[in-house]
Amino acid sequence: MGRLQRNYSPVSFRRYLLATIVPIILILWGTFLTTDKFRSDIDFIDKEIEGLAIVENLYDDILILQKIRGRRQLRIGGDNGQSENIDELTYKLISRLENKLSVMPHYSHDQIKEVVRYLKEVNDNLDDTEQPLRQFDQYTVIIEKLIELINTVSDNSNLTLDHNMNTHYLGRVVVSYFTEIAEHQGQIRGLMAYGIQNRRQMKLVSDRVIYKIMSYEQDLKKLKRNIKVLNNINRATKPDLFNHIKEWEQSTKDFIIEVKKMIPVSGNKIASRNVFESGTQTLKKNRRAYQSIKRELLVLLQERISYLQKLLILTSGAGGVGFLLLLGTTFILYHSNRKAFGVINISHKELKLSEIRHRTILETVADGIITVDNNGVILVYNSAAESMFGYEIKEAAGKNIEMLLPGVEIYPKEKHYEIEGVNKNGKIIPVELAANEMILDDKKMFTVVVRDITERKKMDKLKNEFIAMVSHELRTPLTSIRGSLGLINGGAVGKVPSAAQEMLQIASNNTERLLLLINDILDIQKIEAGQMAFRFQNVPLMPLVEQALRENSAYAEQYGVRYVIDHRLEEARVFCDPDRMMQVMANLLSNAAKFSPRDETVEVSVARNNDTIRISVTDHGSGIPESFQKQIFEKFTQADSSDVRNKGGTGLGLNISKLMIEKHGGHISFITSEGLGSTFYIDLPELIGAHKTGESKNFQRVAKKKSASILIVEDEPDVAMLLKRMLAEAGYNSDIAYDASQARQLLKENAGHYKLITLDLVLPGEDGVSFLNKLRSDDSTRSIPVVVISLKAGETKRLTGGAVDVIDWMQKPIDQFRLIHAIRQTTAPDQIPRVLHVEDEIDVHKVVKLMLQGHCELVSSPTLAASKEALNKEEFDLVLLDIGLPDGSGLDLLELIEKQVVPPKVVIFSAQDVPESYADRVKAILIKSQTDNRRLAEVIIGAMKNGSSEM
Amino acid sequence: MTIKRILFVDDEEDIRTVVKVSLEKVGGFTLQICSSGKEALQAAPHFRPDLLLLDVMMPEMDGIATLSALREISELKEIPVIFLTASVQEEQVAKLKEHGALDVIPKPFDPLTLPEVIKSICE
């Protein structure tokens, strides 16, 4: 380090200079800016105060003019009492105005002179026999000229109102409107005086009064608006000012009222006089209020000025002190390090030092950094890369980067990606890469940063092993406990004394709880670690919801609760993993049952909500307390810790549900009302367009074509009715036989009528097996296809083959879609879908063929080339695709498949993992090692149903 | 195929007891129980099982190693095997099936229905 420090000194000195001089400049600049701002503010306010004084003075001039105008009116009216003062007043005013020329700013001189000239003219030329209104108007013109002057002064003294009003520009508000309004008042008053004396022309006067009032009111509105703005800023700090403004506003309003009163009484001398008097009173009040406002305003402005002056001194002082301090520090530091700073003029050396610095950084980082040219040839790399790959730079330079990182992309699409590197000894190193382009001397180069993630991978592995271990270690003792209890409770080891039975039941219940807990924890861990496999499929939703209800109804019965579907959406299809959906539904349904009062129902609905399908589960329980609502989807939550005992459950269910639904691109939430119940809902993206070509409509189409009749042989009336309903929904007629003899009778009566039989193997009296055997031996019934609906999977084995074609077997509960599909295959054989099976292993093909027998026509294609040919020549409904083919990757077929006029659906069935990016392009991805035969068949059949519906 | 004789290997004594009751008393099978792969190798030639029921995680020889060793015995080359495992990891299950398991029964299992489950798998 010591060596480096010496080398770095010139650079440090520059930095040091920057570090001291820059703040000094900043401080000086800042101080200058701030003080400058303060100074301009002070100037501004000074001007404002000056302007206010001038305006006040001009306002007094107006008042004198108004007085003159009023007295002229009185004289015209014959009242000579004060008329002799008119000339006196006029000359007083003229001299006032002329004096202003020496004190007022230059810009106002022309206007002042004009007012004086006009005033003299009017005074000299006035004839009392003239039209009195004209006289009035002439004075009014002069007053208006004075108002104009006031406006000019306002403009030049920062008193004109604008939108960016600041606290200290209060003067603008008052002055701008005050004078105009005051003159309106004066005019009205004058007109009134005139009206009193000249009754005949009162009509004309009242018109003018009305006009004046209108403009007066407008001005008042403006003023109020501005006062409001002021209120927001200043009411708290300056209550007096606002009180005076209010007073002024009030007296002005009062005056308007007085004037309005005058109009109806025009011509009535006494009434007019009264109004005139009260108008005078309000005007006096107005004047007082204005004086107070002005006083307050001046105080405010003075305060502001002294505040700004203080700030100015402080800022300048602080700036100066800061400047001196920094200067001093610089000086002291420079002197104490003068030697170290040494020579400054060393640009070449600097460059070298800079290089050393970068080199040091390069050599210090733990990541390998490799620079390659456009062709991937290694130019340089750091020691981390050396130790990572085991090649010295001498060995690696000039070689292609592929030697270290086979398959590397120096133009990566993603910012970071994982790849495997190879070191000198041939050892594989998992690495994460980030590549970046740079242009140096017009040459394109790439920097590849390589991070060894061996440790991270190891940690991941350890974590997985830990989970596996925990899982194993917890489950093993639990297996013994649960097993023993199961055997005891099941009576396998003899009778248990009744006293012990209860205790054993407790042990057994808690074992189940512990097991649920372990499973839930493992589920959460798996989802969070991204290890839970989701087998997404395009599935119709209603059958799934119905199945969930059936599977959970026994649980609800414990609580005396019943599930009902109160809204259906038959065409709803979603992209989901049916197993996981069942898990989420089970969670919502069991919660709803647990928290419902006895004998209540839990309503389930499926409906469209904007672009999503919403599944809602509504209970009529006590609702969710508000305090609990926020954490309801978190881990280990139940409203009341005692609920765990009362209601069972692990407190993890909703958390798992949320995680799972989010993996589906969906959303889970709830609405609750204390005392009324709660609705939990899941929103899942709807498969666009799916509802237009929905399954049920498709079935109806088939049914119309071939309205086949079906015989249901089933002893349980509920199941029989369920089957009948399912078939009816798909458009099939059906009859029910409750036992074998009834079935035979129906077959005899309606010979040739039934296209298919559904058969329960467990029948009262003669069982299903025997019935089937007899069916086989009778020529008239030999060819009728049979779908066996049985409780046990194994039983069907004994029945396949033989003369009677058993086209499918299914377990209870009955999967409606599978049933309908099976029936469709038989009743509409012309619609059997064609499947291209791209698979090079003949054994796999054989197995698949066996599984799909009766469901589709399976065409085998063992190579990529043969598949391409087949796709170009023939039409298929579905392609079952293996990836690892002898002549290439099956994924290469996707493009060709997508180009078909009616693109067949694709199900990938491969031993290899398929990148997630393909998930959107195919119906399903099945991994050979993880998929059993039944699942495979289900997925293919599901995809075919879906596929044919769009044909 | 009809299963009568089952060779069961598990290192946990308690589980061996539970399975013994389950398969002998409830299921009526004839059972040879071993506590390790080694023991199974000794017992298998004399016992001549119809089915192997193997635990997976065992010290020294795990379930897969035991299976491989047992299949070395000429009479047991084609013998069906079912694994019992406490691991719920899907890769693990997939791996077991790659090794030719008919099925994998997760622990904990229900001892009352275990015989039924085994029968239905073998059918």
Side-chain angles (χ1 to χ4, degrees), chain A residues 380-399:
Chain A
V380 263
Y381 70 28
N382 65 348
S383 53
E386 271 184 358
S387 55
M388 197 182 292
F389 294 106
Y391 296 99
E392 278 179 40
I393 177 69
K394 285 176 274 177
E395 300 171 79
K399 305 258 170 63

Side-chain angles (χ1 to χ4, degrees), chain A residues 532-747:
Chain A
M532 184 172 274
F534 286 85
R535 298 182 186 87
F536 290 107
Q537 298 167 42
N538 172 353
V539 292
L541 188 57
M542 281 317 294
L544 200 81
V545 170
E546 281 166 348
Q547 192 188 340
L549 259 59
R550 282 194 299 273
E551 287 183 5
N552 289 284
S553 60
Y555 181 86
E557 273 167 27
Q558 293 174 39
Y559 294 90
V561 175
R562 215 160 42 84
Y563 297 129
V564 289
I565 296 183
D566 69 348
H567 190 276
R568 309 174 63 90
L569 191 65
E570 300 298 349
E571 70 269 27
R573 295 192 80 95
V574 291
F575 198 58
C576 75
D577 179 335
D579 292 341
R580 305 299 181 202
M581 271 315 284
M582 286 303 285
Q583 201 175 336
V584 174
M585 284 302 293
N587 178 254
L588 295 188
L589 289 169
S590 64
N591 278 351
K594 264 192 283 192
F595 294 98
S596 285
R598 281 200 87 80
D599 301 324
E600 263 297 351
T601 56
V602 165
E603 288 99 32
V604 178
S605 96
V606 178
R608 198 168 280 120
N609 181 47
N610 298 326
D611 293 340
T612 61
I613 300 285
R614 175 168 291 189
I615 310 164
S616 315
V617 177
T618 303
D619 67 57
H620 300 285
S622 55
I624 302 155
E626 208 185 326
S627 57
F628 180 60
Q629 289 173 13
K630 271 191 190 150
Q631 76 246 35
I632 194 158
F633 287 109
E634 285 166 22
K635 286 169 205 149
F636 292 110
T637 50
Q638 280 193 334
D640 180 348
S641 56
S642 64
D643 277 355
V644 179
R645 285 185 295 279
N646 293 341
K647 308 285 187 188
T650 58
L652 290 169
L654 282 173
N655 182 259
I656 294 174
S657 297
K658 184 170 186 273
L659 293 172
M660 284 183 176
I661 291 300
E662 281 168 359
K663 289 277 175 194
H664 280 79
H667 172 72
I668 183 166
S669 190
F670 64 93
I671 306 161
T672 186
S673 172
E674 261 185 84
L676 291 175
S678 311
T679 298
F680 278 81
Y681 58 85
I682 301 166
D683 287 336
L684 289 171
E686 179 172 17
L687 282 180
I688 305 297
H691 61 272
K692 288 181 190 144
T693 51
E695 204 67 54
S696 55
K697 280 182 196 158
N698 196 40
F699 283 148
Q700 275 157 16
R701 196 185 72 211
V702 173
K704 265 177 205 156
K705 245 197 239 169
K706 298 192 170 212
S707 186
S709 267
I710 292 159
L711 179 63
I712 300 166
V713 186
E714 168 66 64
D715 64 324
E716 275 184 58
D718 285 350
V719 178
M721 282 315 292
L722 177 74
L723 278 169
K724 193 174 169 69
R725 212 187 69 224
M726 283 178 177
L727 294 172
E729 272 175 17
Y732 293 102
N733 298 319
S734 59
D735 295 319
I736 298 171
Y738 291 104
D739 58 32
S741 62
Q742 207 176 349
R744 261 195 299 276
Q745 196 179 343
L746 280 169
L747 282 166

Side-chain angles (χ1 to χ4, degrees), chain B residues 87-106:
Chain B
S87 169
V88 287
Q89 302 246 333
E90 294 185 25
E91 315 86 275
Q92 171 91 50
V93 173
K95 196 171 146 202
L96 293 172
K97 289 199 174 169
E98 269 171 32
H99 278 88
L102 278 184
D103 212 334
V104 179
I105 298 174

Side-chain angles (χ1 to χ4, degrees), chain A residues 367-369 405 407-420 430-436 447-453 456-457:
Chain A
D367 292 339
I369 299 173
L405 301 161
V408 67
E409 285 176 66
I410 47 176
Y411 295 92
K413 287 172 211 103
E414 290 162 41
K415 207 161 176 188
H416 297 275
Y417 67 106
E418 288 181 16
I419 189 176
E420 280 177 347
V431 291
E432 186 184 70
L433 294 189
N436 222 335
T447 307
V448 183
V449 180
V450 190
R451 177 167 295 176
D452 186 343
I453 52 171
R456 197 166 85 196
K457 290 273 166 194

